[in-house]
């Protein structure tokens, strides 16, 4: 179990990989982001992207799944108050294999609640060619390690 105190500034954690199929892209987009370049291969060829691409929200969901399974499920996570600076920097295409990494920028105890702290991190998602396809920064709340009395 990782507690707030176990997150160190500068620490880098890798997650993944996950490979994105055309069926994955179509299924996600049809339900959540049905823009033509996400759901119609022919229309996508005529788009500025020149072919089918994943929704940025799909990329974010894939990263979240990797991060939860590999970091948060084995931690004292208390949720997040949000993210900032979300950028999709390159398209994700069918067959791409994604991996992520997070770097702790700051870890500070809560001033209001002595039982938790906040970890501020930078996250990047890269494809198989080491091209960054998404980046963002986030805050996560984590319980502090219980003290023995």
């Amino acid at each position: 179990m990782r507690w707030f105190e176990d997150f160190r500034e500068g620490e880098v954690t890798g997650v993944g990989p996950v490979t994105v199929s055309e069926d994955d892209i179509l299924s996600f987009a049809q339900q959540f982001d049905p823009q033509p370049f996400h759901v119609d291969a022919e229309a996508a060829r005529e788009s500025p992207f020149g072919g089918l691409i994943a929704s940025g929200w799909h990329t974010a969901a894939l990263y979240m799944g990797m991060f939860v399974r590999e970091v948060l499920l084995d931690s004292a996570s208390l949720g997040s108050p949000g993210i900032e600076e979300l950028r999709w920097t390159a398209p994700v295409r069918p067959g791409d294999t994604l991996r992520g990494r997070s770097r702790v920028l700051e870890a500070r105890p809560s001033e209001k609640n002595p039982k938790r702290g906040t970890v501020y991190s930078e996250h990047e998602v890269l494809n198989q060619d080491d091209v960054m396809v998404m980046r963002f920064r986030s805050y996560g709340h984590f319980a502090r390690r219980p003290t023995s009395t």
Side-chain angles (χ1 to χ4, degrees):
M1 173 68 70
R2 290 184 74 189
W3 301 92
F4 164 75
E5 291 82 3
D6 298 320
F7 291 89
R8 304 279 184 235
E9 291 181 16
E11 170 189 357
V12 176
T13 302
V15 298
V18 64
T19 299
V20 187
S21 72
E22 183 171 333
D23 287 344
D24 295 335
I25 290 171
L26 294 170
S27 178
F28 182 94
Q30 286 165 351
Q31 186 169 3
F32 300 109
D33 190 357
Q35 297 182 74
F37 42 81
H38 298 321
V39 296
D40 182 334
E42 188 174 318
R45 277 192 292 280
E46 301 302 318
S47 78
F49 303 107
L52 194 68
I53 63 167
S55 166
W57 297 112
H58 187 185
T59 303
L62 290 167
Y63 176 76
M64 187 66 184
M66 291 185 287
F67 190 73
V68 167
R69 284 187 292 279
E70 297 184 38
V71 176
L72 296 182
L73 288 180
D74 192 32
S75 74
S77 174
L78 299 172
S80 170
I83 66 169
E84 57 186 35
E85 299 181 30
L86 174 63
R87 299 286 184 269
W88 294 297
T89 54
V92 172
R93 300 184 184 278
D96 280 356
T97 298
L98 306 178
R99 63 185 169 76
R101 62 181 173 220
S102 68
R103 182 169 56 96
V104 176
L105 300 175
E106 180 182 18
R108 58 180 150 69
S110 172
E111 294 177 7
K112 297 178 182 178
N113 183 345
K115 293 184 179 183
R116 72 168 172 82
T118 301
V119 176
Y120 182 55
S121 301
E122 178 177 65
H123 305 266
E124 298 174 337
V125 179
L126 300 104
N127 69 16
Q128 67 281 352
D129 298 319
D130 288 330
V131 172
M132 186 187 319
V133 300
M134 187 181 82
R135 67 177 170 81
F136 66 97
R137 292 181 178 202
S138 69
Y139 296 90
H141 294 314
F142 293 89
R144 298 192 72 179
R145 182 175 281 109
T147 56
S148 305
T149 54

